[in-house]
Amino acid sequence: MNTPVTSAAQRSLPDPATAREWLQTMQLLRRFDERAGELYGAGQIGGFLHLAIGEEAVIVGATRALEDRDWLLTTFRAHAHALARGSEPAGVMAELFGRVGGLCHGRGGAMHMADLQRRFLGGFGMVGAHLPIAAGAALASTYQGRAEVTMCVLGEGASANGVFDESLGLAARWNLPLVLVVVRAAGGYADDAAAAGAAAELQRQTEGLGIKTLTCDGMDVVDTQAVCADAVRIARTERRPVLVQAPTRRAPTPTPTDPRPKGERDEIAAWKARDPLARFGDRLVEVGLLESADRARLQMQVGAVIEQAVSFAGRSPHPDPSSLYEHVLSPSSGDGAWRGLDVRGTTRRAEVEPHPREATK
Amino acid sequence: MNTPVTSAAQRSLPDPATAREWLQTMQLLRRFDERAGELYGAGQIGGFLHLAIGEEAVIVGATRALEDRDWLLTTFRAHAHALARGSEPAGVMAELFGRVGGLCHGRGGAMHMADLQRRFLGGFGMVGAHLPIAAGAALASTYQGRAEVTMCVLGEGASANGVFDESLGLAARWNLPLVLVVVRAAGGYADDAAAAGAAAELQRQTEGLGIKTLTCDGMDVVDTQAVCADAVRIARTERRPVLVQAPTRRAPTPTPTDPRPKGERDEIAAWKARDPLARFGDRLVEVGLLESADRARLQMQVGAVIEQAVSFAGRSPHPDPSSLYEHVLSPSSGDGAWRGLDVRGTTRRAEVEPHPREATK
Amino acid sequence: MSRTLTYRDALGEALREELDRDQRVLLIGEDIGAFDGAFRVTKGLLADYGEQRIRDTPSAPGSIVGIGVGAAMVGLRPIVELMTITAALRALDQIAVSAAQARFASGGQLTVPLVIRSPQGGGHQLGPTHSHTLESLVLAIPGLLVAVPSTPADAKGLLKSAVRSEDPVFVIEHESLYGARGEVPEGEHLVPFGEAVIRRPGRDLTIVGISRGALTALDAADVLEREHGLSAEVIDPRTLRPLDLPTIIESVQRTNRLLIVEEGWPQGGVGASIAALVQEQAFDYLDGPVMRVAGAEAPTGYSRVLERAAQASAREVAQAALAALGR
Amino acid sequence: MSRTLTYRDALGEALREELDRDQRVLLIGEDIGAFDGAFRVTKGLLADYGEQRIRDTPSAPGSIVGIGVGAAMVGLRPIVELMTITAALRALDQIAVSAAQARFASGGQLTVPLVIRSPQGGGHQLGPTHSHTLESLVLAIPGLLVAVPSTPADAKGLLKSAVRSEDPVFVIEHESLYGARGEVPEGEHLVPFGEAVIRRPGRDLTIVGISRGALTALDAADVLEREHGLSAEVIDPRTLRPLDLPTIIESVQRTNRLLIVEEGWPQGGVGASIAALVQEQAFDYLDGPVMRVAGAEAPTGYSRVLERAAQASAREVAQAALAALGR
Ligand SMILES: Cc1ncc(C[n+]2csc(CCOP(=O)(O)OP(=O)(O)O)c2C)c(N)n1
Ligand SMILES: Cc1ncc(C[n+]2csc(CCOP(=O)(O)OP(=O)(O)O)c2C)c(N)n1
Ligand SMILES: [Mg+2]
Ligand SMILES: [Mg+2]
């Protein structure tokens, strides 16, 4: 199931600067997740923290197929996508810490992170909920005559939900420039990743909906980028939805909120041999695009950036409890007429006319 | 789109008694609908009355593929299916009148009619809602080791809803003996029936879900019965879902709640030439299976049955307003602890302790 | 200037005016184009505005709302029609989560200026799937504005305001009112959110009516005056979020009695909310309990007798008012 | 005999006992088998009962509930697990219409003995999609029984009763209570629906607590006694439909003061319903308004400060109680 259609070695590498940028972004994602995992264990980060260790290639490859003007949406496994899209690691880490310096001022957390400036709409916690939203974003671009593409990353788990078929059906009917990237991560949370032939089944299902469907090796950043770039090009120029399947394998080590599946003890070694970050770095060194020392230097820079992010996050204040109602509604609705109904037995009483102690009768 | 895969003439007729029964049931459905339409106009019947004139062949053909032990579900276009399944016309008509003599004692009406004794689970008003319910019924049969099949009739409109894909996906995964009959009625309520190639698209979509898919001529009772019987046999013996597409054409005359689509004036004549009831009757006469006089006699019997039904319905009392809370919960929940909360300002006050006029303080 | 229009045509006029005013406005919904909409509110729009702006969809409520959410996030002002409010139950995650919480979850970055329109309410014997009054389910959701117009003028004015709102709005129309006629101002007529209207001033008790309940309350007030010489003040809140509680409280401070008329189910209903708030905040002004007249706690039966039994008539409301007055 | 069990294990025990007792019982839900359930309630069941009876599904909430409805109509006793109550929003048409109205619409022919289980509630920083308290949305629906166990013993006893019910039941578990321990009777332990329990008797005021709110109320009662010498009576209704209103009214007739503690949103909340009912029916016994402590009318923020701010602590509840007592 995880056999790539195109072997990684067949794809030629991008120019050195680009290759280095991809590698360093993958390093950033990896190191960020390792640190986040530790900080989760230390109680600095709460909630469900879905790590993406092993998904660096698919995340960096997919986002590197986008232009700045394009839109991106993803699942609850959101913080890695924010990083890949260029969000400040400090803002991302502060969001995981739930602090005001976070991208969403501590309101969204790892699962609901968004960065509008980078056209990253989020971070969606409900499986599949973002598919029609992505279609809507693509509709807005088309409607306004802009050649933007919307990319929507999802886990294979979402494809069994009816929104998948509904959204793809409407995207096809309305010729929407939408690229779905299905990350099929074996060893993950849901049981169906284990089902043999599931990828082929999904391909049949998707093509049954009339959607062009491609496959990339989600463990290889070069292949993923190339296939996704193809998908983006088709979506942009032909104005139609394209789906890319990306078989991947998340590290089978236990993660904070994806507890370790049974019987995968032996798989850690196997996974290491396929580690998309190590393999890409090795390849760059092998072909002479990168010195070993350079590689270490990039990694060191990443380490420094992340320690700065951790430090920033730790210093950023917690939201003030009194800001609870901020952003529930926009200022245009919230001023005056509306105020959050904070029923604490007494609170609102004071806001009404002064009360007579006795009844008026 | 309406071109039958197998021409009607190629299917051989069933034995004379069976053929006569089919014809008479089709006559029953037709005459019932004509009368119901009149009574709706006269204000005796309310709500949305979705007539099935033109669907007699598909309804009788599909239900005649079932055994008594099998289960049947359909859409809001429910009363014709109840009749075809053998429900008493008087009970069906009384239900349309909203009377206590109705199958559901006037609570369900045309859209939500059910007849458990005949294993007809209803009558579902929300587009597509009955698909997973049908899958659940099929699951119950299988789970209990009974070789029953569940047939679920739906309009093509439901196939764009995600429950379609979800339910078929689960039915395939769990090997459920489920037969879906998709009535693709051109000239109907929804716009998409008009979309060219929609039938082929649906076939691709369904096969994409791994579901065996057949097509019958929904305007020919013999072909519909034969194909559906095949589907039922496969579902029963191989324990898996099968989908049958049945292109049909409802009469393009205005109906009470399906207002007349534009530009179909000329189509009335065209439709008459394809009228499934007339064609089947003609064929029986042509091949000598039925005398013309017999045909008229069957029709007369049907007329009499329906007039009796109308008369029964008219005499049946309206439900007592005080029965409002009956069947909201079962007697086991409803006795004692629970009573409907009928907030009429005063009602429940009397049920509590007698009230002192003055406060106790 | 104003003329007499039906509630349906007032809504249609609001849609046309907003489509004309703002290119970002587009309509999405089941059969709203070729079929003119299940209740003909969108009649003729497809011909006049084309299929880019009037978008027919199949029955997929969740995805239709979701598409509206995404389009709103990326700069449009979509108006999504759900054919019946029961369909909103299949879309409630998109409404309650995707639409209503995006601004909050993103720390104010995302804006979802989406309008969802849907009819609710009984009266046509549509039975248990097409007759319910579900405003309380929608009202429960923070981040979502809720309008419940009861007159053609408010239908126009609230819908137009909804389209201008930066926040998602659910405009709940009443199925039985589409044919009702009333004066409707021409052109720019905006009804602000959070401003209740006193439909009839009175002294002896306050009746708050929700959606069509406001009209029943007016009829009940007639009965009370004619037959009992009582003067009831009738308030129509028009929007439920924001709710103009001050106007209600101020009225209760004068009349000392409150009755709420709604068609929805009583548990967790809008009436329960208002009753709870008013007795919390004006207890000492109340000469008796806040009373409610709600729909019966039962699905709506098809039978017209049962359907009628589930809703109180104006006369029954008047009786409840008498009870509230201790008579 | 009883021993100490966690809420989670008490639920698991109820499931095992019912699976053993009645062959018609089967479980359907996302990752309940191979993965033991998102909250480990169904741990080990797949190994012990096999895949015919413990059915893993993908994420398709509406269809999972619908399948449960169909299976229940045709003779089974399905227990459907939704991973989070927010998923129920995507299934609400199946819950409110297919499950809750089938008996009514069919004139009593169809029976839907279906149990839906789902966790709700905050406390783990799961943010706006996984932290909400939605019991009021479920309670609104006629034809649906609703249980909100707050202790391990009630979790077992209510779930077992739910499985025996002829009517559909929504058992709402509290996510933060899965690890809570308490005495749980062994074997056949059935908690009847519609019987509130007085968790602590008192004289000065009545506090009704919903779901985990009952525990907060108990803590608040401790504070009131220790620090203010006040005696609060704490009532846990345990089921919301049927609601044991008589026990609440009887208590209020003695204490003349009522405070309701819930975690859900205040508009249309359970507290509003109870407040409206009690002041309607026991107005003359009330020495002050029925007061509520509800969750803030906002999505739940991820930040633990914001999450905490949205819910009142026992101390804040005690303060509200003092306010309710006019102190
Ligand atoms: C509607 C809904 N149901 C259940 C959940 C709980 N849930 C969180 S992650 C997850 C598994 C998702 O699997 P997949 O879509 O493949 O994503 P992956 O975890 O592999 O990235 C589930 C079911 C949810 N978030 N939303
Ligand atoms: C969820 C939902 N949305 C909308 C409706 C309104 N509605 C009633 S009939 C109908 C068209 C259905 O078309 P199709 O499924 O093809 O059935 P047909 O009328 O052709 O029998 C619609 C959309 C509904 N009943 N349920
Ligand atoms: Mg996955
Ligand atoms: Mg159709």
Side-chain angles (χ1 to χ4, degrees), chain C residues 132-156:
Chain C
H132 290 129
T133 298
L134 300 179
E135 64 226 353
S136 74
L137 296 189
V138 175
L139 173 61
I141 301 160
L144 186 66
L145 305 185
V146 184
V148 282
S150 72
T151 67
D154 283 354
K156 175 175 176 181

PDB file of all heavy atoms in Angstrom, chain C residues 132-156:
ATOM      1  N   HIS C 132     -41.275  21.615  12.057  1.00  0.00           N
ATOM      2  CA  HIS C 132     -40.851  21.986  13.394  1.00  0.00           C
ATOM      3  C   HIS C 132     -40.300  23.392  13.485  1.00  0.00           C
ATOM      4  O   HIS C 132     -39.938  24.016  12.496  1.00  0.00           O
ATOM      5  CB  HIS C 132     -39.881  20.941  13.933  1.00  0.00           C
ATOM      6  CG  HIS C 132     -40.608  19.663  14.207  1.00  0.00           C
ATOM      7  ND1 HIS C 132     -40.193  18.455  13.731  1.00  0.00           N
ATOM      8  CD2 HIS C 132     -41.765  19.445  14.871  1.00  0.00           C
ATOM      9  CE1 HIS C 132     -41.072  17.538  14.098  1.00  0.00           C
ATOM     10  NE2 HIS C 132     -42.027  18.104  14.789  1.00  0.00           N
ATOM     11  N   THR C 133     -40.262  23.830  14.708  1.00  0.00           N
ATOM     12  CA  THR C 133     -39.793  25.158  15.051  1.00  0.00           C
ATOM     13  C   THR C 133     -38.526  24.934  15.855  1.00  0.00           C
ATOM     14  O   THR C 133     -38.574  24.431  16.969  1.00  0.00           O
ATOM     15  CB  THR C 133     -40.890  25.861  15.876  1.00  0.00           C
ATOM     16  OG1 THR C 133     -42.056  25.965  15.061  1.00  0.00           O
ATOM     17  CG2 THR C 133     -40.442  27.232  16.322  1.00  0.00           C
ATOM     18  N   LEU C 134     -37.395  25.243  15.244  1.00  0.00           N
ATOM     19  CA  LEU C 134     -36.129  24.836  15.866  1.00  0.00           C
ATOM     20  C   LEU C 134     -35.253  26.023  16.257  1.00  0.00           C
ATOM     21  O   LEU C 134     -34.063  25.873  16.467  1.00  0.00           O
ATOM     22  CB  LEU C 134     -35.368  23.904  14.910  1.00  0.00           C
ATOM     23  CG  LEU C 134     -36.092  22.609  14.519  1.00  0.00           C
ATOM     24  CD1 LEU C 134     -35.248  21.791  13.556  1.00  0.00           C
ATOM     25  CD2 LEU C 134     -36.423  21.785  15.747  1.00  0.00           C
ATOM     26  N   GLU C 135     -35.867  27.180  16.406  1.00  0.00           N
ATOM     27  CA  GLU C 135     -35.056  28.357  16.692  1.00  0.00           C
ATOM     28  C   GLU C 135     -34.214  28.196  17.960  1.00  0.00           C
ATOM     29  O   GLU C 135     -33.128  28.759  18.060  1.00  0.00           O
ATOM     30  CB  GLU C 135     -35.941  29.606  16.799  1.00  0.00           C
ATOM     31  CG  GLU C 135     -36.908  29.544  17.966  1.00  0.00           C
ATOM     32  CD  GLU C 135     -38.345  29.945  17.632  1.00  0.00           C
ATOM     33  OE1 GLU C 135     -38.633  30.401  16.527  1.00  0.00           O
ATOM     34  OE2 GLU C 135     -39.190  29.745  18.522  1.00  0.00           O
ATOM     35  N   SER C 136     -34.709  27.401  18.907  1.00  0.00           N
ATOM     36  CA  SER C 136     -33.939  27.310  20.156  1.00  0.00           C
ATOM     37  C   SER C 136     -32.628  26.560  19.953  1.00  0.00           C
ATOM     38  O   SER C 136     -31.631  26.850  20.606  1.00  0.00           O
ATOM     39  CB  SER C 136     -34.769  26.657  21.262  1.00  0.00           C
ATOM     40  OG  SER C 136     -34.882  25.282  21.039  1.00  0.00           O
ATOM     41  N   LEU C 137     -32.616  25.597  19.019  1.00  0.00           N
ATOM     42  CA  LEU C 137     -31.365  24.873  18.751  1.00  0.00           C
ATOM     43  C   LEU C 137     -30.331  25.813  18.146  1.00  0.00           C
ATOM     44  O   LEU C 137     -29.136  25.709  18.405  1.00  0.00           O
ATOM     45  CB  LEU C 137     -31.603  23.716  17.779  1.00  0.00           C
ATOM     46  CG  LEU C 137     -32.513  22.599  18.252  1.00  0.00           C
ATOM     47  CD1 LEU C 137     -32.462  21.430  17.274  1.00  0.00           C
ATOM     48  CD2 LEU C 137     -32.106  22.116  19.628  1.00  0.00           C
ATOM     49  N   VAL C 138     -30.805  26.714  17.326  1.00  0.00           N
ATOM     50  CA  VAL C 138     -29.909  27.645  16.656  1.00  0.00           C
ATOM     51  C   VAL C 138     -29.452  28.722  17.636  1.00  0.00           C
ATOM     52  O   VAL C 138     -28.289  29.127  17.658  1.00  0.00           O
ATOM     53  CB  VAL C 138     -30.648  28.247  15.438  1.00  0.00           C
ATOM     54  CG1 VAL C 138     -29.813  29.310  14.783  1.00  0.00           C
ATOM     55  CG2 VAL C 138     -31.005  27.148  14.444  1.00  0.00           C
ATOM     56  N   LEU C 139     -30.389  29.137  18.470  1.00  0.00           N
ATOM     57  CA  LEU C 139     -30.082  30.181  19.444  1.00  0.00           C
ATOM     58  C   LEU C 139     -29.036  29.733  20.457  1.00  0.00           C
ATOM     59  O   LEU C 139     -28.276  30.545  20.987  1.00  0.00           O
ATOM     60  CB  LEU C 139     -31.372  30.583  20.178  1.00  0.00           C
ATOM     61  CG  LEU C 139     -31.204  31.555  21.342  1.00  0.00           C
ATOM     62  CD1 LEU C 139     -30.606  32.866  20.866  1.00  0.00           C
ATOM     63  CD2 LEU C 139     -32.529  31.794  22.041  1.00  0.00           C
ATOM     64  N   ALA C 140     -29.002  28.439  20.713  1.00  0.00           N
ATOM     65  CA  ALA C 140     -28.062  27.947  21.729  1.00  0.00           C
ATOM     66  C   ALA C 140     -26.611  28.278  21.373  1.00  0.00           C
ATOM     67  O   ALA C 140     -25.765  28.384  22.250  1.00  0.00           O
ATOM     68  CB  ALA C 140     -28.229  26.439  21.892  1.00  0.00           C
ATOM     69  N   ILE C 141     -26.337  28.460  20.096  1.00  0.00           N
ATOM     70  CA  ILE C 141     -24.968  28.520  19.592  1.00  0.00           C
ATOM     71  C   ILE C 141     -24.358  29.920  19.706  1.00  0.00           C
ATOM     72  O   ILE C 141     -24.798  30.841  19.016  1.00  0.00           O
ATOM     73  CB  ILE C 141     -24.955  28.089  18.107  1.00  0.00           C
ATOM     74  CG1 ILE C 141     -25.517  26.675  17.973  1.00  0.00           C
ATOM     75  CG2 ILE C 141     -23.567  28.212  17.518  1.00  0.00           C
ATOM     76  CD1 ILE C 141     -25.993  26.335  16.577  1.00  0.00           C
ATOM     77  N   PRO C 142     -23.343  30.099  20.511  1.00  0.00           N
ATOM     78  CA  PRO C 142     -22.690  31.413  20.563  1.00  0.00           C
ATOM     79  C   PRO C 142     -22.010  31.708  19.228  1.00  0.00           C
ATOM     80  O   PRO C 142     -21.580  30.793  18.521  1.00  0.00           O
ATOM     81  CB  PRO C 142     -21.621  31.258  21.645  1.00  0.00           C
ATOM     82  CG  PRO C 142     -21.798  29.922  22.243  1.00  0.00           C
ATOM     83  CD  PRO C 142     -22.682  29.108  21.358  1.00  0.00           C
ATOM     84  N   GLY C 143     -21.915  32.964  18.903  1.00  0.00           N
ATOM     85  CA  GLY C 143     -21.240  33.341  17.666  1.00  0.00           C
ATOM     86  C   GLY C 143     -22.169  33.408  16.477  1.00  0.00           C
ATOM     87  O   GLY C 143     -21.740  33.766  15.378  1.00  0.00           O
ATOM     88  N   LEU C 144     -23.416  33.060  16.680  1.00  0.00           N
ATOM     89  CA  LEU C 144     -24.376  33.045  15.576  1.00  0.00           C
ATOM     90  C   LEU C 144     -25.506  34.025  15.893  1.00  0.00           C
ATOM     91  O   LEU C 144     -26.121  33.941  16.947  1.00  0.00           O
ATOM     92  CB  LEU C 144     -24.940  31.629  15.443  1.00  0.00           C
ATOM     93  CG  LEU C 144     -25.862  31.334  14.268  1.00  0.00           C
ATOM     94  CD1 LEU C 144     -25.097  31.436  12.950  1.00  0.00           C
ATOM     95  CD2 LEU C 144     -26.458  29.929  14.413  1.00  0.00           C
ATOM     96  N   LEU C 145     -25.761  34.950  14.985  1.00  0.00           N
ATOM     97  CA  LEU C 145     -26.903  35.843  15.167  1.00  0.00           C
ATOM     98  C   LEU C 145     -28.157  35.151  14.634  1.00  0.00           C
ATOM     99  O   LEU C 145     -28.079  34.345  13.705  1.00  0.00           O
ATOM    100  CB  LEU C 145     -26.667  37.166  14.431  1.00  0.00           C
ATOM    101  CG  LEU C 145     -25.369  37.913  14.793  1.00  0.00           C
ATOM    102  CD1 LEU C 145     -25.325  39.270  14.075  1.00  0.00           C
ATOM    103  CD2 LEU C 145     -25.232  38.098  16.293  1.00  0.00           C
ATOM    104  N   VAL C 146     -29.284  35.477  15.224  1.00  0.00           N
ATOM    105  CA  VAL C 146     -30.522  34.789  14.859  1.00  0.00           C
ATOM    106  C   VAL C 146     -31.645  35.805  14.708  1.00  0.00           C
ATOM    107  O   VAL C 146     -31.931  36.566  15.632  1.00  0.00           O
ATOM    108  CB  VAL C 146     -30.928  33.757  15.939  1.00  0.00           C
ATOM    109  CG1 VAL C 146     -32.178  32.988  15.493  1.00  0.00           C
ATOM    110  CG2 VAL C 146     -29.785  32.797  16.238  1.00  0.00           C
ATOM    111  N   ALA C 147     -32.257  35.791  13.523  1.00  0.00           N
ATOM    112  CA  ALA C 147     -33.384  36.694  13.265  1.00  0.00           C
ATOM    113  C   ALA C 147     -34.635  35.870  12.995  1.00  0.00           C
ATOM    114  O   ALA C 147     -34.570  34.828  12.337  1.00  0.00           O
ATOM    115  CB  ALA C 147     -33.076  37.583  12.054  1.00  0.00           C
ATOM    116  N   VAL C 148     -35.774  36.341  13.506  1.00  0.00           N
ATOM    117  CA  VAL C 148     -37.041  35.616  13.334  1.00  0.00           C
ATOM    118  C   VAL C 148     -38.143  36.597  12.914  1.00  0.00           C
ATOM    119  O   VAL C 148     -39.046  36.902  13.679  1.00  0.00           O
ATOM    120  CB  VAL C 148     -37.450  34.888  14.644  1.00  0.00           C
ATOM    121  CG1 VAL C 148     -36.646  33.625  14.826  1.00  0.00           C
ATOM    122  CG2 VAL C 148     -37.275  35.780  15.882  1.00  0.00           C
ATOM    123  N   PRO C 149     -38.081  37.072  11.656  1.00  0.00           N
ATOM    124  CA  PRO C 149     -39.048  38.082  11.221  1.00  0.00           C
ATOM    125  C   PRO C 149     -40.482  37.558  11.231  1.00  0.00           C
ATOM    126  O   PRO C 149     -40.734  36.437  10.815  1.00  0.00           O
ATOM    127  CB  PRO C 149     -38.599  38.402   9.791  1.00  0.00           C
ATOM    128  CG  PRO C 149     -37.802  37.222   9.348  1.00  0.00           C
ATOM    129  CD  PRO C 149     -37.140  36.696  10.580  1.00  0.00           C
ATOM    130  N   SER C 150     -41.385  38.401  11.673  1.00  0.00           N
ATOM    131  CA  SER C 150     -42.806  38.008  11.678  1.00  0.00           C
ATOM    132  C   SER C 150     -43.654  38.861  10.738  1.00  0.00           C
ATOM    133  O   SER C 150     -44.832  38.578  10.580  1.00  0.00           O
ATOM    134  CB  SER C 150     -43.371  38.078  13.101  1.00  0.00           C
ATOM    135  OG  SER C 150     -43.521  39.424  13.505  1.00  0.00           O
ATOM    136  N   THR C 151     -43.055  39.880  10.132  1.00  0.00           N
ATOM    137  CA  THR C 151     -43.824  40.711   9.184  1.00  0.00           C
ATOM    138  C   THR C 151     -43.018  40.853   7.893  1.00  0.00           C
ATOM    139  O   THR C 151     -41.790  40.702   7.897  1.00  0.00           O
ATOM    140  CB  THR C 151     -44.047  42.133   9.734  1.00  0.00           C
ATOM    141  OG1 THR C 151     -42.772  42.804   9.803  1.00  0.00           O
ATOM    142  CG2 THR C 151     -44.683  42.107  11.114  1.00  0.00           C
ATOM    143  N   PRO C 152     -43.688  41.183   6.794  1.00  0.00           N
ATOM    144  CA  PRO C 152     -42.965  41.405   5.537  1.00  0.00           C
ATOM    145  C   PRO C 152     -41.898  42.495   5.660  1.00  0.00           C
ATOM    146  O   PRO C 152     -40.779  42.339   5.161  1.00  0.00           O
ATOM    147  CB  PRO C 152     -44.075  41.809   4.561  1.00  0.00           C
ATOM    148  CG  PRO C 152     -45.298  41.114   5.087  1.00  0.00           C
ATOM    149  CD  PRO C 152     -45.167  41.174   6.590  1.00  0.00           C
ATOM    150  N   ALA C 153     -42.210  43.574   6.361  1.00  0.00           N
ATOM    151  CA  ALA C 153     -41.228  44.661   6.479  1.00  0.00           C
ATOM    152  C   ALA C 153     -39.986  44.184   7.232  1.00  0.00           C
ATOM    153  O   ALA C 153     -38.848  44.476   6.833  1.00  0.00           O
ATOM    154  CB  ALA C 153     -41.857  45.862   7.187  1.00  0.00           C
ATOM    155  N   ASP C 154     -40.206  43.452   8.314  1.00  0.00           N
ATOM    156  CA  ASP C 154     -39.058  42.942   9.053  1.00  0.00           C
ATOM    157  C   ASP C 154     -38.311  41.882   8.253  1.00  0.00           C
ATOM    158  O   ASP C 154     -37.091  41.770   8.339  1.00  0.00           O
ATOM    159  CB  ASP C 154     -39.501  42.340  10.390  1.00  0.00           C
ATOM    160  CG  ASP C 154     -39.801  43.417  11.417  1.00  0.00           C
ATOM    161  OD1 ASP C 154     -39.553  44.607  11.120  1.00  0.00           O
ATOM    162  OD2 ASP C 154     -40.281  43.069  12.512  1.00  0.00           O
ATOM    163  N   ALA C 155     -39.053  41.100   7.480  1.00  0.00           N
ATOM    164  CA  ALA C 155     -38.399  40.077   6.654  1.00  0.00           C
ATOM    165  C   ALA C 155     -37.400  40.762   5.729  1.00  0.00           C
ATOM    166  O   ALA C 155     -36.238  40.354   5.622  1.00  0.00           O
ATOM    167  CB  ALA C 155     -39.442  39.295   5.857  1.00  0.00           C
ATOM    168  N   LYS C 156     -37.843  41.832   5.092  1.00  0.00           N
ATOM    169  CA  LYS C 156     -36.931  42.558   4.207  1.00  0.00           C
ATOM    170  C   LYS C 156     -35.791  43.202   5.005  1.00  0.00           C
ATOM    171  O   LYS C 156     -34.615  43.049   4.685  1.00  0.00           O
ATOM    172  CB  LYS C 156     -37.685  43.634   3.423  1.00  0.00           C
ATOM    173  CG  LYS C 156     -36.748  44.498   2.583  1.00  0.00           C
ATOM    174  CD  LYS C 156     -37.456  45.498   1.690  1.00  0.00           C
ATOM    175  CE  LYS C 156     -36.409  46.363   0.973  1.00  0.00           C
ATOM    176  NZ  LYS C 156     -37.016  47.376   0.093  1.00  0.00           N
TER     177      LYS C 156
END
